[in-house]
Amino acid sequence: MRRDGIEILYSSEQVPDDWLIATDGEKSSGLERLATVLATRQLRLSLIAPNHYVIEWMAAQPAHPTAAPASTDEPRVDRLDEILVRASRYSLNQAADRNAATLNERRIADAPGTANDVLQAVQLLPGIAAIDSSQPHVRGSAPDDVLILYDHVPVSDPYHLRGFPNMAGMFDALTVDRIDVYTGAFPARYGDRSGGVIDIAARQPARGLENILQVSTTTQLLASSGLSGRGSSWNLAIRRLHPNVAVETAAGEVDQPALLDGLARVQWPCGEGNRCTAGALLMQDEISLSGELSAASAHALYRDEHAWVAVEAATEAASLRRATLSVAHSERRRDGSLAYPSVVTGRVSEDRDIRSVSYSAEWRLRTAADQSWSIGTDGGYADGESHYERTAAFAPAAAAAFGRSASAQQLADAAPIAVRTAAFGDYHASMGPHGDWEIGGRLDWRRFSMSPSILSWSPRLHARVQLSPQWQAFGGWGVYRQSQRPDEWRLEEGQQTVDPLQTVEQAIVGLNGSASPSLQWRVEAYDKRWDHPAPYLENLLGGQTLLPDLSPDRVAIRPTSARAWGVEFSGHAALGRWTIDGNITRSSAQDLVGDVWTDRSWQQGLALAADISWRIPSWTLGATIHWHSGWPRTPLLPASAAAGGAGWAVGPRNSGSWPPFFSANIRAAWHRAWARTELEVFAEVGNATNHPNPCCVALIGGEATPSADLLGYWRPRTLGAGFTLRRR
């Protein structure tokens, strides 16, 4: 059931390990079948939070429940939907965790348009703004404001194809157990990011040996995982990607890139009641850019390495929950060149080497049956060696249109250092069947090169009230402070001192409803206010390229304040063979630049998303639909509006908007199971209607008026197919 995002708490006395019941998988959902089976033993499912259930006795607990014998004459079918109920590590006293939305391996793998990409699947959730990309904007925040964790280890910028609209995440659905996404009011243990949290749980092998081979038009993956009789487990995976990433503009298309990532993770018992983990991640990109209309080429090499060790309590009774130590190294190389004489000529080069060490530890102390403390510490050290060059010559018309000087020669060196340590704590109290609440905060000490140390306090408050068995109200408030990492320094501006702390105050309030285990809904409103929002760089015309800093429309946005608000409605329905998840969001995200409030470039006023699937034992059919109002755009006016009637005239930043975005993706998969082998064959159509979704304008040649061939578009219709073979 966890593969479908369902957490179930139970006692092995209620549900013995050898209890095997044949059910009809075609006439009801997994929850309905489980409830029917439990009723045969006087057991029932009780909802304690969205997608979280506990198994209870209908009446007084029998003294010696009799185990149901395993059936020996079950009919064989091609594939049975598994109902796997095992000891859960979900803790009843973690009320804050119920603010998270959960995506499981099955939902990610079956969702059309994600290509098994864990981070791209986040777009299925409300409050996430993204287009054909794995890089999310969470409730108006910039992508760098989101904390991404894998196996409790922070992973910065885990994206292939950085700088392009079709960025792909480095985590495949076959290597994860689930992801918990916090879009607001997240617990104090998640530190130093202000926009949200994507917490990716590593896959936990549930059986002996399992080998996986996946081959598709965009991916080749080979993975192995297993669980030994002594409690040790391992996960190994290597993946090569070759997505269709070309951006259809006259500025050129991306050559087929070489994208590679890998994972190694082992876990074993160590000491009484503890488990130890060692792991490593690798991501490497080699990209080149071919040009057209006299444009030149570029080259990029990105390589990221992460390694970690951890010790984790194997039981909830232990005081130490988890302690982790990790190291990371990021290497970035860019070359450059560009030759559009009537716009710009130039050359860019970039070298960055970023090293970091981070640690975290958390303890759980129970002071009473309904009260507990969670305390911990985290921090780290990071430094970088950076080199940057830029030589650009802008054509007079281009320089005048964007207020740039004709020359942009620059050489910047920086060696930023950042040290951070923090202590955090939460006090949790239960109100019995009426709900629970939690209060806490974190105290962070930070020190940066050539800057004085900074001490900051960030309080948090979360509460949940059970209004009735079907209705639950919740709310949260918090202050979140974020410092600039060495890899975030704006070298093209010659930055030499760290930015002030970005401070965000967030508040949420919402209501959960449930008519039955198979029909649930949620409405949530949020408000976010920024103090000292981080400056950021963008291209006014939205171009996506390896060399954005050579374009004349490159600008630095320095807001003095920012704000975002929104109302989200989401629902889930499991109706026999059908499962439907959908959400509608009304939101706004703005910067205060000078004395003018301006929409952020990823602001989408109204957004709708739906994930629909239909399952029978041998087939799974699915569709995802994304629609949202057009993102803001900066108008590029006709030549007659420009000075002297030549060149370009640029309107106010983000004063216009692109047409609404729409994309429908379809996926069909056929399953077949044998004694030790499972085969899935799938086919997928991305943007099935081939709806044109313009994204950007390219300044090429001396044309005064942008024409259709100067517009860039998000992903057109794509076709994909492949298979996944599992051998146990």
Side-chain angles (χ1 to χ4, degrees):
M1 299 299 293
R2 294 187 66 199
R3 294 181 61 190
D4 289 329
I6 305 298
E7 293 281 355
I8 299 176
L9 305 178
Y10 74 102
S11 165
S12 57
E13 185 179 12
Q14 299 168 322
V15 183
D17 292 338
D18 59 353
W19 191 17
L20 183 63
I21 299 293
T23 65
D24 187 346
E26 299 189 21
K27 296 184 179 180
S28 60
S29 69
L31 277 175
E32 291 170 338
R33 300 200 309 275
L34 180 58
T36 300
V37 170
L38 291 174
T40 63
R41 297 195 52 178
Q42 300 301 307
L43 296 168
R44 66 186 177 191
L45 278 175
S46 294
L47 182 70
I48 57 175
N51 294 326
H52 290 82
Y53 298 83
V54 63
I55 296 178
E56 300 176 327
W57 296 105
M58 292 182 178
Q61 179 180 350
H64 299 286
T66 303
S71 173
T72 59
D73 56 350
E74 300 176 37
R76 177 164 178 81
V77 295
D78 288 339
R79 185 192 187 207
L80 282 175
D81 286 343
E82 292 185 5
I83 300 179
L84 177 60
V85 185
R86 60 185 181 187
S88 173
R89 295 195 53 77
Y90 176 80
S91 175
L92 285 173
N93 66 356
Q94 295 183 44
D97 285 354
R98 297 172 191 169
N99 289 331
T102 298
L103 293 175
N104 55 85
E105 180 220 338
R106 170 176 286 181
R107 187 175 178 191
I108 297 167
D110 289 350
T114 64
N116 270 22
D117 188 338
V118 169
L119 295 174
Q120 194 164 81
V122 170
Q123 296 180 49
L124 298 171
L125 302 176
I128 308 295
I131 298 180
D132 282 342
S133 171
S134 300
Q135 193 175 45
H137 302 268
V138 177
R139 289 183 173 175
S141 295
D144 287 338
D145 297 348
V146 179
L147 175 64
I148 298 178
L149 303 167
Y150 179 81
D151 201 23
H152 306 277
V153 175
V155 183
S156 302
D157 214 12
Y159 307 106
H160 294 285
L161 299 168
R162 295 164 184 160
F164 288 93
N166 306 112
M167 286 187 292
M170 67 177 295
F171 303 110
D172 190 279
L174 295 175
T175 64
V176 307
D177 184 50
R178 71 179 191 282
I179 56 176
D180 296 324
V181 181
Y182 297 83
T183 54
F186 44 90
R189 67 177 179 272
Y190 297 115
D192 203 44
R193 295 287 100 176
S194 61
V197 179
I198 300 177
D199 192 354
I200 305 172
R203 188 175 185 218
Q204 299 291 342
R207 60 194 75 196
L209 174 65
E210 182 179 55
N211 296 317
I212 301 175
L213 172 65
Q214 183 178 82
V215 178
S216 73
T217 51
T218 59
T219 305
Q220 291 95 42
L221 177 140
L222 183 62
S224 178
S225 63
L227 181 66
S228 73
R230 297 183 178 181
S232 299
S233 64
W234 71 89
N235 288 294
L236 301 172
I238 186 168
R239 182 179 65 156
R240 181 180 176 85
L241 294 87
H242 42 88
N244 179 14
V245 298
V247 183
E248 296 184 355
T249 71
E253 294 190 353
V254 182
D255 289 337
Q256 193 62 256
L259 313 179
L260 182 72
D261 53 48
L263 161 71
R265 181 179 182 270
V266 295
Q267 195 171 60
W268 67 95
C270 56
E272 186 175 354
N274 293 327
R275 291 184 303 211
C276 288
T277 302
L281 289 171
L282 168 68
M283 180 178 69
Q284 179 171 296
D285 289 6
E286 292 188 20
I287 310 169
S288 62
L289 177 67
S290 61
E292 299 176 4
L293 301 181
S294 75
S297 63
H299 175 75
L301 171 65
Y302 301 128
R303 183 180 176 91
D304 290 71
E305 302 160 336
H306 298 266
W308 69 95
V309 293
V311 58
E312 181 179 15
T315 65
E316 293 290 345
S319 59
L320 175 66
R321 187 182 179 196
R322 185 180 178 95
T324 303
L325 177 66
S326 64
V327 296
H329 175 245
S330 178
E331 177 184 353
R332 305 181 185 180
R333 303 282 183 264
R334 279 199 305 160
D335 295 318
S337 177
L338 255 178
Y340 302 116
S342 56
V343 179
V344 59
T345 60
R347 175 76 187 169
V348 68
S349 180
E350 175 179 340
D351 300 294
R352 294 197 191 197
D353 282 286
I354 308 296
R355 298 165 294 272
S356 65
V357 179
S358 62
Y359 69 89
S360 65
E362 185 178 358
W363 292 264
R364 177 78 32 79
L365 306 174
R366 184 176 296 278
T367 57
D370 57 355
Q371 300 175 28
S372 66
W373 285 87
S374 177
I375 59 174
T377 179
D378 62 45
Y381 169 90
D383 64 21
E385 297 177 359
S386 305
H387 167 77
Y388 183 83
E389 294 184 15
R390 178 176 59 175
T391 301
F394 300 115
F402 296 98
R404 302 289 297 267
S405 62
S407 177
Q409 296 184 3
Q410 177 178 315
L411 176 65
D413 283 293
I417 298 175
V419 182
R420 182 181 64 86
T421 188
F424 59 85
D426 295 304
Y427 170 75
H428 174 266
S430 171
M431 298 181 291
H434 305 294
D436 47 26
W437 59 276
E438 186 175 272
I439 187 170
R442 53 184 298 120
L443 185 66
D444 287 86
W445 177 89
R446 300 173 175 91
R447 180 68 184 268
F448 307 96
S449 53
M450 298 178 290
S451 298
S453 60
I454 302 173
L455 189 66
S456 62
W457 167 249
S458 306
R460 314 282 167 89
L461 175 64
H462 310 103
R464 179 181 62 91
V465 178
Q466 196 73 38
L467 304 176
S468 72
Q470 292 77 34
W471 293 96
Q472 180 187 102
F474 62 91
W477 171 86
V479 175
Y480 306 83
R481 305 186 194 275
Q482 174 178 319
S483 59
Q484 187 181 24
R485 299 190 307 252
D487 63 292
E488 296 172 331
W489 280 48
R490 298 179 301 282
L491 293 181
E492 60 186 274
E493 286 194 310
Q495 181 181 1
Q496 295 296 321
T497 58
V498 71
D499 290 336
L501 286 183
Q502 178 173 250
T503 302
V504 180
E505 183 177 357
Q506 303 186 47
I508 65 168
V509 62
L511 192 66
N512 287 320
S514 175
S516 71
S518 300
L519 184 60
Q520 303 173 19
W521 57 86
R522 177 186 181 101
V523 61
E524 183 172 342
Y526 66 88
D527 182 81
K528 300 172 69 170
R529 305 284 168 159
W530 279 260
D531 186 21
H532 299 297
Y536 57 95
L537 298 159
E538 72 175 25
N539 291 74
L540 291 177
L541 303 182
Q544 304 284 343
T545 173
L546 281 174
L547 307 172
D549 37 348
L550 289 182
S551 179
D553 65 330
R554 186 72 162 174
V555 295
I557 310 301
R558 304 181 185 280
T560 56
S561 183
R563 65 190 181 192
W565 62 266
V567 179
E568 303 165 354
F569 175 83
S570 57
H572 168 80
L575 308 172
R577 301 175 182 178
W578 293 89
T579 301
I580 303 173
D581 292 275
N583 60 79
I584 303 174
T585 302
R586 177 73 175 93
S587 62
S588 173
Q590 295 182 313
D591 285 320
L592 180 62
V593 181
D595 57 355
V596 178
W597 286 100
T598 305
D599 288 342
R600 290 192 157 189
S601 297
W602 49 88
Q603 130 85 8
Q604 51 191 40
L606 182 63
L608 296 86
D611 179 14
I612 305 169
S613 64
W614 178 82
R615 290 188 179 94
I616 59 175
S618 296
W619 285 92
T620 300
L621 303 179
T624 56
I625 298 172
H626 295 272
W627 180 95
H628 63 72
S629 53
W631 283 12
R633 66 173 294 186
T634 300
L636 188 64
L637 304 180
S640 59
W648 301 277
V650 182
R653 175 178 173 264
N654 288 347
S655 58
S657 64
W658 294 104
F661 176 92
F662 174 78
S663 180
N665 308 297
I666 301 172
R667 186 180 191 271
W670 174 79
H671 315 272
R672 183 65 186 267
W674 294 272
R676 298 177 57 189
T677 305
E678 289 185 15
L679 174 65
E680 178 184 82
V681 180
F682 56 88
E684 184 171 297
V685 183
N687 192 7
T689 64
N690 203 29
H691 187 272
N693 294 302
C695 69
C696 41
V697 175
L699 296 176
I700 304 298
E703 293 88 344
T705 304
S707 57
D709 62 349
L710 295 182
L711 289 177
Y713 292 85
W714 301 108
R715 184 177 299 157
R717 179 189 292 126
T718 57
L719 304 177
F723 69 88
T724 303
L725 183 66
R726 299 173 185 257
R727 176 69 176 174
R728 300 185 178 94

